[in-house]
Amino acid sequence: MKPGFGEVLLTEGDPRVREDEERLVEEFRRQLDEGMWAAVPTVGEDSGRREAQMVQRYADIPTDAERVIFFPRASGG
């Protein structure tokens, strides 16, 4: 997937607003229940390199995160 192509916005909101946070948590859980993995894009402090931090719980998302990316688990054997 090329950056800027193929992304789908599932939901957005301000986690400091209770109704928004409830919606964000619900969507986060729904995606994980459907078998998706979740990651938060980061930039390495020393290298400036783009990386990703895997998250398994909504509470693990850094407060300064702008987005969470969901992607399917790899298939195969």
Side-chain angles (χ1 to χ4, degrees), residues 35-52:
M36 303 295 269
W37 280 355
V40 176
T42 61
V43 176
E45 292 180 21
D46 298 331
S47 66
R49 182 177 176 184
R50 295 189 309 177
E51 302 172 347

Side-chain angles (χ1 to χ4, degrees), residues 12-22 24 58 62-63 65:
E12 62 183 341
D14 184 346
R16 297 171 293 186
V17 176
R18 185 172 182 209
E19 294 82 19
D20 285 0
E21 183 180 39
E22 289 172 0
L24 293 168
Y58 183 83
T63 56

Side-chain angles (χ1 to χ4, degrees), residues 21-42:
E21 183 180 39
E22 289 172 0
R23 187 176 63 255
L24 293 168
V25 169
E26 181 179 319
E27 185 62 33
F28 184 87
R29 288 181 181 155
R30 187 176 74 80
Q31 291 299 315
L32 294 186
D33 288 348
E34 290 184 5
M36 303 295 269
W37 280 355
V40 176
T42 61

